[in-house]
Amino acid sequence: MQQFIQGFFQAIDPRAAIYLLLGTFSGLLIGTLPGLTATMAVAILTPLTFWLPPNQGLAMLIGVWNSAIFSGGISAILINTPGTPASIASTFDGFALTKKGMAGLALGINVVFSFVGGILGVLALIVVGFPLARFALTFGPAEYFTLAIFGLSTMVAVSGRSILKGMIAGFLGFSISLIGLDPIFGSERFTFGRMELLNGISFIPVMIGLFGVGEVFYQIFSRRQVVSTGTQPVTQLGRVVPTFKEIKDLTPVALLSALIGIIIGVIPGAGADIAGLVAWDQSKRVAKKPQEYGQGSLEGLTASTTANNACLGGALTTMMALGLPGDAVTAVLIGAFIMYGVQPGPVMFRDNASFVHMVITLMVLANIAFLAVGFFVSKILTKFLSLPQSFIWATIIILSLVGSYAINNSAFDLLIVFISGVAGFVFRLLNVPLGPIVLALILGPMAEANMRRALILSRGSFTIFFTRPISLVLIILSVISLLTSTLKKKATNGGR
């Protein structure tokens, strides 16, 4: 109880509240503008919070994350272009409602049920997080190694059309993670005599380059337009706040979608975009009027907006309890946690329980914050849809360079950002998924160190990974994840 009280008061500190609101408004703007993702926002802002106390820095990052996922639905509804990938499914019914003259109601449903999904996701973190962490405390080196492999296998399985590209991306991330000092013997590896590489490649500059600079390069190259549908932002919204009856009627589909979103969020690497799509599809299957889905169904919009926000709590559960990123944003948040001196994983729940309670409280406050302002700012944010892309690109580049330099005051980090940005641009052109690279870069040191410790304990025998029940189960799940995804893709290609 003492640790809960301590974490709670850290979260409600007035200065933390200010940064939470600042992050919320930043996320609202970033999420509304197509092309800017929550991952990009958190990656760019993480180094800018380096000088803040953990409660204030995380308040800003969590505010950005939650509000960006919610506000991605604004442009999805108004101009049929998802502000973030998490809102892809919201375009199915959101824009159809706008064409029916119900844009205001669609935005109101987006606000209400994004909040409902977010709160239910946090509730799942509270219920599942601590028991899962206690169970994970029984893990040894073999279990941690196979856990890392399972995390990477699930990311590869949902990474895109090509399993091979996903695996190549994962191996590339692992290769980068080998740079630096050997975790067992302390000898130099792949440093080429550069002192800057003794501690390995810094995680944050790579993230900023891949998701920030790389995306800007790609947008400049492809010259994508903000309003790809050729429509003009809606200015007359009509009624925004849903009635009590509408909320009551939509609650069952919201609960189903929240459950789906939480489960998908717990799976490492799945993400809110997949949660929204799966929830929309499953709610359609059980709907009384499935023919209305895609034609302006309030239930369809509710399903997608609830699931993608509920996914955040599931993703945070996996990240905090096991140290595995639930999605790309939580991969960046791992870097933020480490930056603040806290290593995500089961030990964090035991040794830094107050920190865990602080994060949970901040998640709740972030959802309350965007609920409080969502109804009022939705109309205002439509005006930002006409901002010149050149202005957005320049802002992102400046923030990326300033943020990456600020961590270590190192020009070498700027070089990493540039190289990663070019790599991110090339990978986008080749449809190589970025998720496995990021996940492998994070899990690489954990996988290598624990594999070698396990082999030392077993005197070099690999049977240790198959004779321990938990590690065997994780290996089987990894194989199943890869096989089912491969067979599914073959069936899809064969049906074309």
Side-chain angles (χ1 to χ4, degrees):
M1 178 60 70
Q2 181 180 357
Q3 292 175 323
F4 166 75
I5 294 174
Q6 182 181 354
F8 177 78
F9 278 104
Q10 286 178 336
I12 64 172
D13 179 86
R15 288 165 294 186
I18 293 173
Y19 281 103
L20 179 71
L21 290 175
L22 180 60
T24 298
F25 282 107
S26 300
L28 289 171
L29 177 59
I30 291 168
T32 301
L33 295 172
L36 307 185
T37 66
T39 306
M40 177 194 296
V42 176
I44 293 173
L45 292 178
T46 293
L48 297 178
T49 64
F50 178 71
W51 305 108
L52 296 174
N55 63 328
Q56 298 174 27
L58 285 175
M60 186 171 184
L61 297 179
I62 289 175
V64 167
W65 183 28
N66 283 269
S67 60
I69 298 298
F70 144 70
S71 61
I74 295 176
S75 55
I77 291 168
L78 297 180
I79 62 174
N80 202 29
T81 305
T84 62
S87 298
I88 292 173
S90 297
T91 62
F92 299 164
D93 291 290
F95 188 61
L97 287 167
T98 295
K99 291 192 291 186
K100 290 181 178 181
M102 302 170 65
L105 179 58
L107 291 174
I109 287 175
N110 183 47
V111 174
V112 172
F113 288 100
S114 291
F115 169 77
V116 170
I119 292 298
L120 291 176
V122 176
L123 180 62
L125 170 60
I126 296 172
V127 173
V128 178
F130 282 90
L132 182 60
R134 283 194 293 270
F135 172 70
L137 284 172
T138 63
F139 286 12
E143 287 80 8
Y144 274 113
F145 169 71
T146 51
L147 181 64
I149 297 302
F150 171 66
L152 186 61
S153 70
T154 56
M155 175 67 86
V156 170
V158 299
S159 61
R161 297 179 181 178
S162 173
I163 293 292
L164 178 60
K165 289 182 179 179
M167 295 184 68
I168 291 173
F171 281 119
L172 176 61
F174 268 125
S175 300
I176 297 173
S177 72
L178 295 176
I179 298 173
L181 297 178
D182 184 286
I184 303 298
F185 300 109
S187 56
E188 295 184 22
R189 301 185 305 189
F190 311 112
T191 60
F192 307 103
R194 296 297 300 259
M195 294 291 294
E196 299 91 340
L197 293 176
L198 286 178
N199 293 322
I201 298 293
S202 183
F203 174 78
I204 298 299
V206 174
M207 292 292 302
I208 293 174
L210 288 176
F211 291 102
V213 177
E215 178 64 28
V216 170
F217 288 167
Y218 180 72
Q219 289 189 27
I220 293 174
F221 176 79
S222 59
R223 290 181 169 83
R224 291 187 299 178
Q225 298 299 315
V226 171
V227 186
S228 60
T229 59
T231 61
Q232 293 298 320
V234 178
T235 56
Q236 299 298 322
L237 300 179
R239 178 169 63 92
V240 175
V241 181
T243 65
F244 177 78
K245 183 179 183 304
E246 288 169 335
I247 295 176
K248 180 181 177 181
D249 292 341
L250 294 172
T251 296
V253 71
L255 294 176
L256 171 64
S257 301
L259 178 61
I260 293 172
I262 292 168
I263 293 173
I264 292 178
V266 169
I267 300 173
D273 50 345
I274 295 175
L277 291 168
V278 172
W280 186 88
D281 179 68
Q282 293 302 312
S283 63
K284 180 181 179 180
R285 293 175 185 271
V286 300
K288 295 180 179 178
K289 298 179 180 179
Q291 68 277 7
E292 294 183 357
Y293 276 61
Q295 307 299 318
S297 168
L298 295 179
E299 288 187 359
L301 180 61
T302 299
S304 61
T305 58
T306 306
N308 59 19
N309 283 270
C311 181
L312 307 190
L316 200 59
T317 300
T318 301
M319 186 272 273
M320 293 178 65
L322 300 179
L324 294 178
D327 58 7
V329 180
T330 48
V332 183
L333 285 176
I334 285 181
F337 278 40
I338 295 173
M339 186 176 71
Y340 291 125
V342 178
Q343 177 67 52
V347 176
M348 181 178 69
F349 281 74
R350 183 189 65 192
D351 298 341
N352 292 284
S354 61
F355 185 89
V356 175
H357 289 299
M358 180 189 73
V359 173
I360 292 173
T361 305
L362 288 173
M363 286 289 290
V364 174
L365 294 177
N367 280 274
I368 294 174
F370 77 67
L371 175 68
V373 302
F375 292 111
F376 303 103
V377 302
S378 291
K379 184 174 181 179
I380 298 173
L381 288 173
T382 61
K383 299 179 181 179
F384 287 98
L385 294 173
S386 58
L387 279 175
Q389 278 190 311
S390 57
F391 172 79
I392 298 171
W393 293 333
T395 302
I396 293 173
I397 292 294
I398 292 172
L399 289 175
S400 297
L401 296 178
V402 171
S404 59
Y405 182 80
I407 298 179
N408 300 313
N409 293 327
S410 171
F412 186 77
D413 285 346
L414 296 180
L415 178 61
I416 296 298
V417 170
F418 176 75
I419 294 174
S420 301
V422 173
F425 165 67
V426 174
F427 291 152
R428 282 171 172 83
L429 290 179
L430 299 176
N431 292 319
V432 175
L434 301 179
I437 299 175
V438 174
L439 191 60
L441 185 59
I442 295 170
L443 298 181
M446 167 184 165
E448 181 198 3
N450 283 287
M451 182 189 74
R452 294 173 65 179
R453 291 189 186 106
L455 291 176
I456 290 172
L457 292 174
S458 65
R459 299 180 182 274
S461 174
F462 283 90
T463 57
I464 189 173
F465 301 113
F466 301 95
T467 55
R468 297 177 68 90
I470 296 176
S471 61
L472 178 61
V473 170
L474 289 170
I475 290 174
I476 293 173
L477 290 175
S478 301
V479 173
I480 291 174
S481 176
L482 291 173
L483 286 179
T484 53
S485 180
T486 302
L487 293 174
K488 182 178 178 181
K489 293 183 192 307
K490 284 185 176 180
T492 302
N493 294 332
R496 291 178 181 174

